[in-house]
Amino acid sequence: MRQPDEDPSAAEPGAASGSGASAPPGEGASTGDVPPDEGAPRASEPPGEGASTGGVPPGEGAPPAPEGGAARRPSEGRLRRVGRWIKEHYCTIDVRTLGLFRLVLGFLLASDCVRHWAEASWIYSNDGVLTNHYHLFHPSSGYNFSLYHAFSSTGEVHVAFALSLFCFLCFFVGWHTRLFSILSFVLVASRDNRIVMIENGGYVVVNLITCWAMFMPTGRRFSVDALIRSYRERRERTAADLADRRRPEWAERPYVSGIVLLAILNLATIYYFNVVNKSGQIWHRGETVHYVLHLDRMVTGLAVIARELIPFWATKGLTWSVLVVEALLVTWILSPYGRRFTRALAMGGMWALHGSFGVMMRLGPFSWFMIGWSFLLPTAQHWDALERWYRRRAAPRVVVYDGDSPLAFALMRFLVRLDGLELLRFEEARAVPASGAEAAGGGEPRPELFEVRDASDPGDGRVFRGAAALREIAQALPGGRFAWPLVRALSLGAPGALLGVVSRRRDGIARYFGLDRAPRGRAAGAAESPSPLAERLAGGRAIAREVLVAYLGLCAVSQAINENKSVPAFLKHRQPSFVQATILYPRILQGWGMFAPNPITEDGSISVDAITIDGRHVDPFTGLPPDLNLSDARGLGLGQIQQDYFNRIRLDRNKPYRKPGLQDYLLRYHERTGRPEDELVAFDVYWVRDQCPKPGESAAYKNEAIPILSYRKPGYRPAPGLPALPPPLREASAEK
């Protein structure tokens, strides 16, 4: 990851000598989701991962096996064995892992969208610091394209973010997964391109991980798509059909593709370069954590407390431990053997490393999306172990439902699809013929919509009804015990009362949803073979996908070689323009090295001394009097977007974005406050900086304020009793 004080707009394609398109600072991404019916490669689980070995059958993107009598050279046999070994150990992934990965990634995308939405007015709209029309004619990077350039006012930008949030949520639940995975990638890349000035390594991680997700069938499990497909393929009609728990092949077959290899290698590459690029003496002396904790523009309140309590000798140990963990992560992620342990260690190490980064520093999406990336690491062995653990804590149950109610049967069909551990059994209950006074009353007592009893102990006479029945069912479902509090919250704490209303109106609800109609579709267990044409098309799509993945992988390797400083100079090369475009349009960069080769030792932020029309001095960014002394700060409380914008706008190369962008934004201060007396007649924008405390000390030093923008209202004359405006300051460079 790039240094936080580097400007993404610094490097343009072809700007660096001896290399092709050195991308603007940031960090790296790809495209395509293959849904279950798109001809994904078939393969069995690799040995030691819970299944027997297997290849990809013809039509699934892999070449067919040679004829039995065909002679093969020994070298050809070795190459096939090597290829099969790579496929089994690095190109195969459990579809349950892909489903979980989609849930995590979709949640993170939605959360990050909300974070940007909260600051959309000042950073993405024409009311902010960079209008869309100015950026279109003065792009901050080469190969720049953004859908957000089509939205101007704050209201329009909010609509754009609302539509983006809708796409991310659709991807999260897995509805039309392939479509919304592609749209999600286009939207995050567009958001990044709208203002590259605030891009950091986290933004590139978002682009990369969302890009690679497009090529994966993340909707095969734990998704609305999988549920709909299951309903379409299995139309249970009787209680016996409910007992048939055979899963379709598409929901069980591991996924085999080069995108799995690319995503895992890219993850390991991030940690590799984050280690080798940290070659500076500050890292070697163990002083990095000390300096990072004193970056007031970047740290959280928790880091401020930590730097006051943790002794210097302990920060040295933490510095070296970061290097050790990052180095170990490379070996744990790539280890082909003992993955039950190495992958678990890798996930634990990533959570610990990035979790601590996330709570100590305001790095934007970097830490949380790196944790999200780790959810591609679980293997079938981890899922099997999790299943065994959950089975020991869950109790099997028998669900007795009203056999005469279409609504009850529809609910049982739904439960069958949620019951991944097959801990539920289903029995029908029929209305008992009325007799005596009941018959005279003209009705037969109907059974409960459903009730539950213990399946492990037939002698247990307990029967659970209402909310208790719902609770018992939830505890038998995978993860249900953790979802039960959510069920109670959604039912306003009265799930039993809600179920009672549904039970009393079961017939009307069934008619409303058309559940009393004759069933249509294939019976449970019926199979439909694809046509020869469909198989050929599926094979063609798989081959095209793998070719595109291979091309993106080569582009990523080229970019990693050119962007990372530790790569020898003789490997640097000039990239063709189409490779530059492939990398820079979607911002899938590959420069990694957080705080490398040395951490930042100089802290700084923007402070504005503005004069209102009634003579007051105010900082329009805070609404408070200007503060030109940074050395006494205990954290500035700036969000990632604001602190990165401040850090980048002070650079000389971004001077064109101060006028009219920053200047016009400040002059609209009174429009944002709604107070005419807040109109600004003069202001000076300073880059206020100081040096972080020396190792073992706690006091910052060498504070200075450097004017980078000065404005005086033309023709302004102060009102009687107000002093004349001071002369404009001479602007200076904040990079010296």
Side-chain angles (χ1 to χ4, degrees):
M1 193 176 82
R2 294 184 177 275
Q3 285 277 33
D5 62 344
E6 292 185 7
D7 182 11
S9 59
E12 292 295 327
S17 61
S19 97
S22 216
E27 278 96 341
S30 189
T31 334
D33 173 46
V34 183
D37 55 354
E38 288 298 308
R42 301 168 182 260
S44 300
E45 192 111 10
E49 295 299 330
S52 61
T53 60
V56 182
E60 294 295 320
E67 294 295 331
R72 294 184 302 178
R73 294 188 299 272
S75 59
E76 182 184 1
R78 284 194 296 270
L79 288 176
R80 286 185 178 276
R81 287 195 296 271
V82 170
R84 185 166 56 249
W85 185 88
I86 292 175
K87 182 180 70 176
E88 292 172 349
H89 289 84
Y90 293 110
C91 297
T92 304
I93 193 169
D94 194 290
V95 290
R96 292 170 292 184
T97 298
L98 292 177
L100 178 62
F101 170 70
R102 189 204 71 252
L103 290 171
V104 174
L105 178 57
F107 172 78
L108 291 174
L109 289 173
S111 301
D112 198 46
C113 180
V114 172
R115 179 178 74 95
H116 282 82
W117 193 341
E119 303 195 60
S121 175
W122 79 274
I123 200 71
Y124 290 106
S125 77
N126 286 356
D127 299 326
V129 295
L130 184 60
T131 62
N132 55 10
H133 48 273
Y134 186 85
H135 194 238
L136 279 170
F137 290 97
H138 303 83
S140 50
S141 69
Y143 299 98
N144 184 272
F145 171 79
S146 174
L147 295 176
Y148 283 90
H149 282 137
F151 300 89
S152 301
S153 68
T154 299
E156 291 175 357
V157 173
H158 284 165
V159 170
F161 274 101
L163 294 174
S164 299
L165 182 61
F166 173 77
C167 291
F168 298 147
L169 291 176
C170 288
F171 175 65
F172 168 71
V173 301
W175 182 59
H176 294 291
T177 311
R178 180 176 61 171
L179 170 64
F180 285 108
S181 67
I182 295 173
L183 290 177
S184 294
F185 171 63
V186 172
L187 288 168
V188 296
S190 291
R191 190 176 64 202
D192 190 355
N193 273 290
R194 174 60 177 87
I195 180 163
V196 179
M197 197 183 303
I198 63 171
E199 177 188 74
N200 65 13
Y203 287 72
V204 181
V205 167
V206 176
N207 297 342
L208 278 170
I209 193 174
T210 312
C211 182
W212 302 152
M214 288 194 300
F215 293 94
M216 302 175 183
T218 55
R220 284 195 190 176
R221 295 295 296 270
F222 317 138
S223 68
V224 174
D225 283 347
L227 185 65
I228 293 174
R229 185 173 182 182
S230 173
Y231 274 116
R232 188 172 66 243
E233 294 183 355
R234 289 175 55 89
R235 186 77 178 190
E236 296 91 343
R237 293 175 169 83
T238 65
D241 291 339
L242 296 176
D244 183 2
R245 299 303 187 87
R246 289 174 296 177
R247 288 188 179 275
E249 185 184 8
W250 54 262
E252 293 291 321
R253 183 178 69 244
Y255 181 65
V256 181
S257 172
I259 190 61
V260 181
L261 173 65
L262 179 55
I264 297 301
L265 281 179
N266 201 169
L267 180 60
T269 299
I270 294 174
Y271 292 110
Y272 170 77
F273 282 115
N274 265 306
V275 173
V276 299
N277 285 338
K278 293 171 180 173
S279 56
Q281 289 300 312
I282 293 179
W283 276 100
H284 294 166
R285 292 196 300 263
E287 299 168 354
T288 297
V289 170
H290 164 81
Y291 282 113
V292 169
L293 289 177
H294 284 86
L295 292 173
D296 285 301
R297 75 165 185 265
M298 188 179 297
V299 297
T300 64
L302 183 60
V304 173
I305 297 174
R307 76 190 188 192
E308 295 173 353
L309 297 178
I310 300 177
F312 176 63
W313 61 265
T315 63
K316 294 180 70 173
L318 290 173
T319 298
W320 293 324
S321 68
V322 169
L323 292 174
V324 170
V325 170
E326 288 180 336
L328 287 174
L329 283 172
V330 178
T331 60
W332 288 338
I333 291 169
L334 295 181
S335 174
Y337 303 111
R339 291 189 296 173
R340 178 181 179 182
F341 303 103
T342 58
R343 290 288 181 90
L345 287 171
M347 292 187 72
M350 291 175 67
W351 296 354
L353 184 70
H354 296 293
S356 59
F357 289 166
V359 299
M360 292 290 185
M361 293 180 287
R362 303 177 191 273
L363 299 174
F366 177 73
S367 298
W368 313 117
F369 277 83
M370 287 301 294
I371 290 175
W373 206 327
S374 74
F375 281 87
L376 281 177
L377 297 178
T379 67
Q381 285 183 316
H382 297 118
W383 286 104
D384 294 341
L386 180 63
E387 179 178 330
R388 290 191 297 270
W389 175 84
Y390 200 85
R391 280 184 179 277
R392 289 195 297 267
R393 288 159 177 79
R397 292 289 184 258
V398 176
V399 183
V400 183
Y401 64 95
D402 181 2
D404 297 320
S405 169
L407 175 62
F409 190 74
L411 292 174
M412 298 308 105
R413 293 185 67 208
F414 181 66
L415 288 178
V416 163
R417 285 154 175 79
L418 297 182
D419 184 27
L421 300 181
E422 300 180 15
L423 293 174
L424 297 179
R425 295 208 318 264
F426 301 91
E427 294 181 2
E428 286 186 353
R430 299 287 181 179
V432 179
S435 60
E438 292 179 348
E444 296 180 351
R446 298 192 66 175
E448 295 284 339
L449 186 65
F450 59 83
E451 59 187 28
V452 177
R453 67 171 187 265
D454 192 348
S456 59
D457 184 6
D460 188 346
R462 289 183 302 166
V463 175
F464 303 95
R465 298 183 177 89
L470 287 173
R471 184 190 66 243
E472 294 301 310
I473 291 173
Q475 302 219 355
L477 298 175
R481 64 178 60 206
F482 307 110
W484 177 242
L486 178 62
V487 173
R488 290 186 58 85
L490 293 176
S491 62
L492 303 179
L498 181 61
L499 180 60
V501 172
V502 172
S503 180
R504 290 191 295 273
R505 301 182 179 181
R506 67 187 78 175
D507 294 333
I509 294 174
R511 285 192 300 272
Y512 181 81
F513 288 103
L515 300 177
D516 53 347
R517 300 171 188 165
R520 294 177 296 174
R522 297 191 300 275
E528 182 178 292
S529 300
S531 67
L533 177 59
E535 288 185 340
R536 286 181 177 274
L537 290 175
R541 285 193 298 267
I543 293 173
R545 179 194 64 232
E546 297 305 308
V547 170
L548 181 55
V549 167
Y551 167 71
L552 290 172
L554 291 174
C555 291
V557 171
S558 171
Q559 190 68 17
I561 291 172
N562 277 357
E563 269 198 88
N564 290 283
K565 301 172 184 177
S566 60
V567 177
F570 72 89
L571 292 176
K572 308 287 185 179
H573 54 280
R574 183 168 297 278
Q575 296 170 327
S577 59
F578 65 87
V579 173
Q580 297 176 27
T582 300
I583 293 293
L584 294 179
Y585 271 126
R587 311 295 300 169
I588 51 175
L589 311 172
Q590 291 290 345
W592 309 106
M594 185 177 179
F595 300 121
N598 278 311
I600 307 165
T601 59
E602 178 186 281
D603 197 9
S605 185
I606 290 291
S607 186
V608 182
D609 183 3
I611 302 175
T612 63
I613 198 169
D614 58 358
R616 291 174 292 113
H617 286 252
V618 65
D619 185 338
F621 283 111
T622 64
L624 302 173
D627 184 1
L628 301 183
N629 185 4
L630 188 63
S631 59
D632 59 353
R634 298 183 72 251
L636 299 181
L638 301 176
Q640 173 269 320
I641 293 176
Q642 192 172 32
Q643 62 107 344
D644 272 335
Y645 173 78
F646 286 173
N647 188 38
R648 306 281 170 68
I649 195 65
R650 55 105 178 183
L651 301 176
D652 293 342
R653 62 179 62 93
N654 289 324
K655 196 171 183 179
Y657 301 111
R658 299 176 195 166
K659 297 179 185 178
L662 176 58
Q663 177 173 291
D664 288 354
Y665 174 75
L666 295 174
L667 291 176
R668 289 192 294 269
Y669 176 62
H670 63 288
E671 297 176 7
R672 295 191 295 275
T673 64
R675 293 160 41 95
E677 60 269 28
D678 285 339
E679 179 184 353
L680 302 184
V681 295
F683 59 76
D684 298 306
V685 180
Y686 295 91
W687 173 251
V688 183
R689 67 185 181 191
D690 65 14
Q691 296 297 314
C692 294
K694 296 178 180 179
E697 300 180 3
S698 59
Y701 63 99
K702 200 178 178 181
N703 183 86
E704 56 182 330
I706 304 169
I708 63 172
L709 179 63
S710 189
Y711 168 83
R712 301 295 181 267
K713 184 176 181 179
Y716 169 75
R717 292 185 178 182
L722 295 178
L725 296 179
L729 299 179
R730 182 178 179 181
E731 299 173 6
S733 172
E735 295 188 58
K736 298 178 181 178

